[in-house]
């Protein structure tokens, strides 16, 4: 009794330190391609093998970018094509995580991709095609169903841990639950949503191997969403107020005694079957925020996290009840995360609240990428940069997984249509980078030191006891006496003697117990003192740990600020140098500008001087040319007057010659001829003189007194080079000869007879 009591009063031991494990595993990244919406759509993805996928730019993008995009290949742990079933995906991705969950190891599985790539379908599924979440629940209950503890034996302590209740307290909680009218009494009478009624066919059911039969199990589920970087509990029951409805209250993140992050005040529901878990999931799914966008009819506007906690504790030595020791309770959890898809507002045309949601979704995904990049850099380059987990609720909640608290797996969902090529390219690059991050392998939990097979022995004992009771109708004891009646002188003395002996033994035991009572009380006092001292030491250690952590945080903050200060000083130096360079350039440019302005002013003054000078020159030239023109006009007038006078003189001489010729050539009239007439008319010439135009020609046959001279001239050529005949003459010839003789070369160059060529200059 004292031994059992001392076991029950054993103080809580401090949490064991996390053992360092040098073995690391890379993050498992898988790729799944969804089918095209229409058969005639252009495809930009091609599955090369079961581990390689190839992206090629669509034709329109190649034309726009001059064919700069080349075909790129990306490798994954495994690639699932469009014909992959949900069962095949579960076998490779989620089943190992469920097996680790049953063996006290944590796991994180999340889907990642652009909007409309099939993430929610991969995680949840559809009727007849259950996704990773319902299949994981089904496998858990198929594996632990025979070994489940009764309801309320395990109870959350609101600090991310589990407590073990005794049978009485658990029974009272069950009776209280059954008394509530809103909760059905048996799970078989529940009516489930038809969408989740046939998620998994019986042929596809599976179970884990190596389940510890000497332990009791209980499953707790919680469902949260991260909307606009706030955490909301989807399973929280809030009273409905139609007059003034209250908005849902956001939750906060806390750190437990093992430095693991959890959502404080989150509802954890204990479920005992797959159907009940489906019902809880669907109840939270109805509260999840979804909306219709240009790219997806039911687009998730928040990140959803479905947490499955499995509490297990060993049975006692008898194999009948759960061991009443909290330190022996192991709690493992599997987080199934459906991340909202990244989207471009230029394509979704989001406005208002949708635009804000898209911004928060993209910001949280960008923070996840940044954390992965820093982890990768720290591991590959040996640096110790601070990972910005706290910049987003998603990364802050799951920081323990990346620090080595369990396996991490990611399913990259891609849409092969050409419109999503650029977004898919970014997703592929992020997935390729994530595969290079390594996570510490979780260590195995310690096993209880009780002998194996306790449950089977206890079950066999109960079955044998039940069988004997049914055969005999009561307790089985071969040595117990049988009394035939009140006058039985043989059995009654023997029975009285046995009872007296038992009474003496009992008195001796009572005396012995009274003697040892003081020792037991002393032991209890010592145990309580030891327990209080150990609790005090534990509190001091906790405070010391908090102080150490605070100091470490302050040191890290100081280091970060020093690095930031150095970086700012470096930037200031660079900016100062740049400013100096710009100042020098500014001064040189100002000097150059001033010199150019001075040169421009000089040129302008020179131009003005030249203009004034040229104006003077032009004025002088103008006056000069005016005088010259006036002089030339006067000279020309004088010359023309002289020419006119000369021509008048010539005309007078010509008239005198004509008159003289007529008087000299007058002869006695012959009877057969009329009086000679010389018809003609006189007109003015261009030079201002006069000319005679004869209208008729008369040939004179008599000898001319000037015949001798004409004969001499007959051998000469005329003005045009033709020989002049000396055996004929007329009035015109006489006129020209006389004019030539008297006037000589005084005839002007403009003198010309009509009907004769122009005379050459003498």
């Amino acid at each position: 009794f004292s031994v059992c009591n001392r076991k029950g009063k054993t103080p809580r031991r401090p949490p064991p330190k996390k053992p360092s494990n040098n073995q690391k595993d890379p993050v498992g990244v898988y790729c799944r391609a969804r089918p095209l919406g229409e058969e005639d759509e252009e495809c930009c993805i091609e599955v090369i093998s079961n581990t390689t996928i190839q992206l090629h730019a669509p034709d329109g993008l190649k034309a726009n970018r001059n064919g700069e995009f080349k075909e790129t290949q990306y490798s994954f742990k495994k690639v699932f094509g469009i014909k992959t079933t949900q069962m095949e995906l579960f076998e490779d991705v989620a089943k190992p995580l469920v097996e680790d969950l049953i063996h006290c190891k944590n796991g994180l599985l999340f889907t990642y991709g652009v909007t409309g790539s099939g993430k929610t379908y991969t995680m949840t599924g559809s009727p007849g095609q259950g996704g990773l979440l319902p299949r994981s629940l089904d496998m858990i209950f198929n594996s632990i169903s025979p070994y489940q503890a009764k309801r309320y034996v395990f109870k959350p302590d609101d600090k991310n841990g589990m407590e073990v209740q005794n049978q009485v307290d658990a029974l009272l909680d069950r009776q209280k639950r059954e008394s509530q009218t809103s909760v059905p009494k048996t799970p078989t009478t529940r009516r489930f949503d038809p969408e989740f009624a046939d998620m998994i066919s019986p042929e596809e059911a599976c179970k884990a191997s190596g389940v510890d039969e000497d332990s009791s199990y209980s499953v707790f589920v919680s469902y949260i969403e991260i909307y606009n970087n706030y955490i909301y509990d989807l399973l929280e029951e809030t009273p409905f107020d139609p007059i003034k409805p209250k908005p849902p209250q956001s939750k906060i993140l806390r750190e437990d005694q093992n430095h693991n992050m959890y959502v404080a005040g989150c509802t954890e529901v204990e479920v005992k079957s797959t159907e009940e878990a489906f019902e809880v999931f669907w109840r939270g799914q109805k509260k999840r925020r979804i909306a219709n966008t240009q790219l997806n009819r039911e687009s998730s506007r928040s990140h959803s996290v479905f947490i499955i906690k499995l509490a297990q504790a060993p049975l006692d030595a008898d194999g009948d009840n759960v061991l009443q020791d909290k330190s022996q309770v192991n709690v493992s959890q599997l987080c199934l995360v459906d991340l909202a898809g990244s989207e471009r507002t230029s394509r979704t045309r989001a406005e208002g609240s949708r635009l804000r949601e898209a911004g928060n979704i993209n910001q949280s995904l960008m923070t996840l990428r940044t954390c992965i990049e820093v982890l990768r850099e720290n591991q590959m380059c040996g640096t110790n940069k601070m990972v910005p987990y706290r910049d987003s609720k998603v990364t802050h909640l799951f920081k323990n997984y990346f620090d080595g608290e369990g396996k991490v797996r990611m399913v990259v969902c891609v849409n092969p249509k050409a419109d999503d090529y650029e977004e898919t390219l970014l997703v592929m690059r992020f997935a390729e980078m994530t595969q290079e991050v390594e996570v510490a392998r979780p260590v195995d939990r310690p096993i209880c030191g009780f002998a194996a097979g306790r449950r089977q022995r206890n079950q066999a004992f109960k079955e044998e006891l039940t069988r004997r009771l049914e055969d005999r109708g009561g307790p089985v004891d071969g040595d117990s006496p049988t009394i035939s009646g009140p006058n039985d002188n043989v059995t009654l003395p023997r029975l009285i003697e046995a009872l007296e002996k038992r009474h003496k033994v009992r008195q001796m035991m009572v005396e012995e117990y009274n003697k040892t009572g003081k020792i037991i009380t002393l032991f209890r006092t010592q145990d309580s003192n030891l327990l209080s001292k150990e609790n005090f030491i534990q509190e001091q250690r906790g405070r010391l740990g908090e102080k150490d952590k605070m100091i470490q945080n302050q040191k890290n903050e100081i280091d970060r600020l020093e690095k930031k200060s150095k970086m700012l000083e470096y930037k200031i130096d660079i900016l100062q140098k740049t400013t100096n360079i710009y100042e020098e350039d500014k001064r040189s440019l100002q000097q150059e500008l001033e010199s150019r302005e001075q040169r421009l002013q000089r040129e302008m003054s020179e131009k003005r001087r030249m203009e004034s000078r040229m104006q003077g020159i032009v004025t002088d030239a103008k006056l000069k040319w005016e005088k010259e023109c006036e002089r030339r006009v006067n000279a020309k007038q004088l010359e023309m007057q002289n020419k006119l006078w000369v021509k008048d003189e010539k005309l007078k001489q010509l008239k005198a010659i004509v008159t003289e010729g007529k008087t000299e050539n007058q002869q006695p009239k012959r009877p057969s001829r009329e009086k000679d007439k010389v018809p003609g008319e006189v007109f003015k010439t261009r030079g201002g003189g006069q000319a005679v135009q004869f209208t008729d020609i008369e040939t004179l046959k008599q000898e001319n007194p000037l015949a001798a001279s004409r004969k001499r001239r007959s051998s000469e050529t005329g003005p045009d080079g033709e020989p002049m005949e000396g055996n004929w003459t007329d009035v015109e010839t006489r006129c020209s000869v006389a004019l030539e003789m008297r006037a000589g070369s005084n005839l002007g160059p403009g003198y010309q007879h009509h009907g004769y060529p122009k005379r050459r200059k003498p």
Side-chain angles (χ1 to χ4, degrees):
F1 175 78
S2 61
V3 175
C4 295
N5 190 32
R6 290 180 63 185
K7 280 188 177 181
K9 293 294 183 177
T10 302
R12 184 177 62 182
R13 298 177 183 176
K17 295 183 179 180
K18 297 179 182 179
S20 59
N21 189 4
N22 296 326
Q23 296 180 349
K24 294 184 178 182
D25 296 324
V27 176
V29 181
Y30 301 83
C31 180
R32 186 183 193 185
R34 64 162 292 175
L36 287 171
E38 298 178 2
E39 294 182 357
D40 55 348
E41 272 189 308
E42 186 180 1
C43 181
C44 66
I45 291 176
E46 182 182 359
V47 178
I48 302 300
S49 65
N50 59 350
T51 58
T52 308
I53 196 169
Q54 177 173 298
L55 265 71
H56 51 82
D59 297 335
L61 192 60
K62 288 181 180 178
N64 294 335
R65 302 294 179 89
N66 298 323
E68 296 180 359
F69 285 91
K70 299 180 180 180
E71 295 180 351
T72 53
Q73 293 185 358
Y74 299 92
S75 298
F76 298 91
K77 193 169 184 178
K78 192 168 185 179
V79 175
F80 301 96
I82 59 176
K83 296 183 180 180
T84 303
T85 62
Q86 298 277 56
M87 185 62 188
E88 294 174 352
L89 182 68
F90 172 77
E91 288 284 344
D92 291 324
V93 178
K95 187 176 180 180
L97 295 180
V98 176
E99 291 178 347
D100 289 343
L101 176 70
I102 296 175
H103 293 90
C104 305
K105 296 179 183 178
N106 299 330
L108 171 63
L109 172 63
F110 61 95
T111 56
Y112 182 85
V114 300
T115 181
S117 58
K119 300 182 298 300
T120 303
Y121 174 78
T122 299
M123 184 60 68
T124 306
S126 61
Q129 292 291 329
L132 300 178
L133 189 149
R135 293 181 185 275
S136 299
L137 289 171
D138 187 65
M139 180 177 176
I140 292 172
F141 285 106
N142 290 339
S143 304
I144 67 169
S145 181
Y147 316 116
Q148 287 194 80
K150 294 182 179 180
R151 198 181 296 271
Y152 298 119
V153 171
F154 293 96
K155 186 177 181 180
D157 60 356
D158 297 331
K159 295 180 181 179
N160 203 31
M162 289 289 172
E163 294 179 348
V164 182
Q165 293 193 123
N166 55 38
Q167 297 296 328
V168 177
D169 294 337
L171 179 60
L172 292 175
D173 289 340
R174 286 195 296 270
Q175 290 177 354
K176 182 179 178 181
R177 177 177 180 272
E178 291 175 358
S179 64
Q180 296 177 357
T181 57
S182 60
V183 180
K185 293 184 179 181
T186 57
T188 58
T189 60
R190 292 188 178 94
R191 294 182 180 179
F192 302 103
D193 194 275
E195 292 191 17
F196 294 90
D198 55 351
M199 274 288 188
I200 305 170
S201 61
E203 294 80 10
E204 296 178 347
C206 59
K207 59 186 300 185
S209 59
V211 180
D212 186 8
E213 299 179 355
D214 295 323
S215 297
S216 288
Y217 302 87
S218 286
V219 178
F220 295 83
V221 296
S222 55
Y223 198 13
I224 62 173
E225 71 170 353
I226 302 175
Y227 176 73
N228 287 339
N229 208 27
Y230 289 97
I231 300 176
Y232 296 97
D233 186 5
L234 297 177
L235 303 180
E236 186 176 15
E237 296 291 343
T238 57
F240 178 71
D241 189 358
I243 299 176
K244 189 178 180 181
K246 294 182 180 180
Q249 298 295 322
S250 61
K251 305 296 181 180
I252 61 174
L253 292 176
R254 292 189 182 276
E255 192 175 42
D256 62 7
Q257 60 181 0
N258 294 325
H259 306 293
N260 295 325
M261 303 306 301
Y262 71 98
V263 181
C266 180
T267 304
E268 294 181 357
V269 181
E270 185 178 7
V271 291
K272 293 298 179 182
S273 64
T274 308
E275 293 78 9
E276 187 179 358
F278 284 167
E279 182 187 18
V280 174
F281 171 76
W282 181 240
R283 192 174 68 204
Q285 188 74 3
K286 291 180 179 179
K287 296 181 182 180
R288 189 182 176 189
R289 292 173 173 87
I290 60 174
N292 184 12
T293 63
Q294 293 288 336
L295 302 180
N296 193 356
R297 185 171 58 87
E298 294 182 357
S299 176
S300 300
R301 312 311 297 169
S302 63
H303 309 297
S304 66
V305 182
F306 191 79
I307 304 175
I308 305 173
K309 281 188 178 180
L310 181 63
Q312 53 181 308
L315 298 175
D316 56 11
D318 296 333
D320 191 14
N321 299 318
V322 178
L323 185 64
Q324 299 292 314
D325 189 356
K326 187 176 180 180
S327 62
Q328 296 294 331
V329 179
N330 290 323
V331 181
S332 55
Q333 66 180 15
L334 173 63
C335 294
L336 303 175
V337 186
D338 181 13
L339 294 177
S342 59
E343 58 186 36
R344 291 188 177 182
T345 54
S346 59
R347 296 184 60 197
T348 58
R349 299 176 184 176
E351 296 178 353
S353 60
R354 297 291 170 266
L355 182 62
R356 181 188 176 194
E357 293 167 357
N360 285 294
I361 291 171
N362 293 335
Q363 181 64 34
S364 60
L365 296 178
M366 183 61 67
T367 304
L368 177 62
R369 295 179 187 176
T370 304
C371 294
I372 295 295
E373 289 177 357
V374 176
L375 283 172
R376 173 176 171 271
E377 183 179 355
N378 290 340
Q379 293 177 3
M380 298 185 68
C381 303
T383 58
N384 192 20
K385 291 184 178 180
M386 181 180 294
V387 184
Y389 290 120
R390 294 178 178 269
D391 291 351
S392 174
K393 290 294 192 300
V394 176
T395 54
H396 194 194
L397 179 60
F398 301 120
K399 65 180 289 293
N400 307 106
Y401 290 93
F402 293 102
D403 291 341
E405 281 297 322
K407 290 184 178 179
V408 180
R409 293 196 174 183
M410 178 175 69
V411 180
V412 177
C413 300
V414 294
N415 193 340
K417 67 179 182 180
D419 296 338
D420 291 345
Y421 171 76
E422 294 185 357
E423 291 89 340
T424 304
L425 191 64
L426 297 176
V427 170
M428 291 297 177
R429 291 174 181 173
F430 170 69
E432 189 176 40
M433 178 183 61
T434 305
Q435 292 183 106
E436 300 177 359
V437 176
E438 294 183 345
V439 179
R441 187 178 300 175
V443 298
D444 295 330
R445 303 288 177 88
I447 303 175
C448 180
F450 292 114
R454 300 186 302 278
R455 184 185 293 272
Q456 292 183 356
R457 290 196 298 271
N458 182 50
Q459 188 68 25
F461 171 74
K462 288 182 178 180
E463 291 177 357
E464 182 64 22
L465 181 60
T466 303
R467 186 182 63 79
R468 290 193 179 186
L469 289 175
E470 290 177 354
D471 293 342
R472 302 270 181 107
V476 180
D477 188 1
D479 297 334
S480 59
T482 303
I483 301 175
S484 59
N487 297 322
D488 192 350
N489 296 325
V490 178
T491 306
L492 286 176
R494 292 175 57 189
L495 183 58
I496 292 170
E497 185 180 359
L499 291 174
E500 288 178 352
K501 290 181 180 180
R502 183 171 293 183
H503 180 67
K504 291 179 181 180
V505 171
R506 183 176 180 278
Q507 286 181 348
M508 292 173 60
M509 292 179 65
V510 169
E511 291 176 359
E512 185 70 22
Y513 175 76
N514 292 331
K515 290 179 182 179
T516 58
K518 295 180 181 181
I519 300 175
I520 294 172
T521 304
L522 181 61
F523 285 161
R524 288 180 179 177
T525 305
Q526 295 295 330
D527 288 340
S528 62
N529 293 335
L530 182 62
L531 179 61
S532 61
K533 290 181 180 180
E534 288 183 355
N535 291 334
F536 177 76
I537 293 172
Q538 185 63 29
E539 290 177 0
Q540 295 299 323
R541 286 180 179 176
R543 292 179 181 178
L544 183 61
E546 291 178 358
K547 295 292 184 182
D548 293 340
K549 185 177 179 181
M550 187 181 301
I551 293 172
Q552 185 64 33
N553 292 335
Q554 291 178 354
K555 288 182 179 179
N556 295 334
E557 186 68 17
I558 291 171
D559 294 339
R560 186 183 66 83
L561 293 175
E562 288 179 352
K563 292 180 181 178
K564 186 176 180 180
S565 177
K566 291 180 181 178
M567 182 61 68
L568 291 176
E569 290 177 356
Y570 177 71
K571 290 183 179 180
I572 289 172
D573 294 339
I574 294 176
L575 291 175
Q576 188 65 36
K577 293 179 181 178
T578 307
T579 305
N580 295 334
I581 294 172
Y582 286 161
E583 290 291 337
E584 292 292 335
D585 294 341
K586 181 181 177 181
R587 286 194 291 270
S588 62
L589 291 174
Q590 286 180 350
Q591 293 176 359
E592 184 178 358
L593 181 61
E594 292 175 356
S595 63
R596 290 190 178 184
E597 287 180 352
Q598 294 175 359
R599 187 166 65 249
L600 181 61
Q601 290 178 358
R602 290 195 299 270
E603 291 178 355
M604 291 295 292
S605 62
E606 185 69 22
K607 182 180 178 181
R608 286 193 293 270
R609 288 197 300 271
M610 290 296 294
E611 286 180 352
S612 61
R613 182 179 176 185
M614 291 303 296
Q615 287 179 357
I617 294 173
V618 169
T619 304
D620 295 342
K622 185 177 180 180
L623 294 174
K624 181 179 179 182
W625 279 106
E626 285 179 354
K627 293 179 180 179
E628 182 68 20
C629 289
E630 185 177 0
R631 185 185 64 77
R632 288 184 181 183
V633 169
N634 294 332
K636 196 69 175 176
Q637 287 180 355
L638 182 61
E639 182 183 357
M640 293 302 294
Q641 289 177 1
N642 292 333
K643 287 182 180 181
L644 183 61
W645 180 82
V646 171
K647 288 185 179 182
D648 289 342
E649 291 295 325
K650 288 180 182 181
L651 184 60
K652 290 179 182 180
Q653 292 176 6
L654 181 61
K655 287 181 180 181
I657 292 172
V658 173
T659 305
E660 183 182 357
K662 287 183 180 182
T663 56
E664 288 179 357
N665 293 330
Q666 286 181 356
Q667 295 295 335
K669 294 182 182 180
R670 290 178 293 189
S672 58
R673 289 181 63 123
E674 297 179 356
K675 188 177 181 177
D676 293 334
K677 292 182 179 180
V678 183
E681 56 185 12
V682 180
F683 62 91
K684 292 182 179 181
T685 63
R686 294 179 182 178
Q690 293 179 349
V692 179
Q693 182 178 5
F694 296 95
T695 60
D696 195 5
I697 299 175
E698 181 182 4
T699 305
L700 300 179
K701 299 297 184 181
Q702 67 271 18
E703 288 289 331
N704 196 324
L706 301 175
S709 64
R710 287 198 301 270
K711 287 181 181 180
R712 286 193 302 266
R713 290 173 180 272
S714 62
S715 61
E716 297 176 1
T717 60
D720 297 331
E722 296 179 357
M724 297 178 62
E725 296 180 0
N727 57 355
W728 62 273
T729 182
D730 54 17
V731 178
E732 189 172 312
T733 305
R734 289 199 304 271
C735 290
S736 66
V737 171
L739 184 64
E740 190 176 281
M741 289 176 63
R742 294 192 179 191
S745 59
N746 291 328
L747 291 173
Y751 177 76
Q752 185 178 3
H753 295 286
H754 289 279
Y756 285 88
K758 181 179 181 181
R759 296 179 63 86
R760 292 183 301 175
K761 290 182 180 181

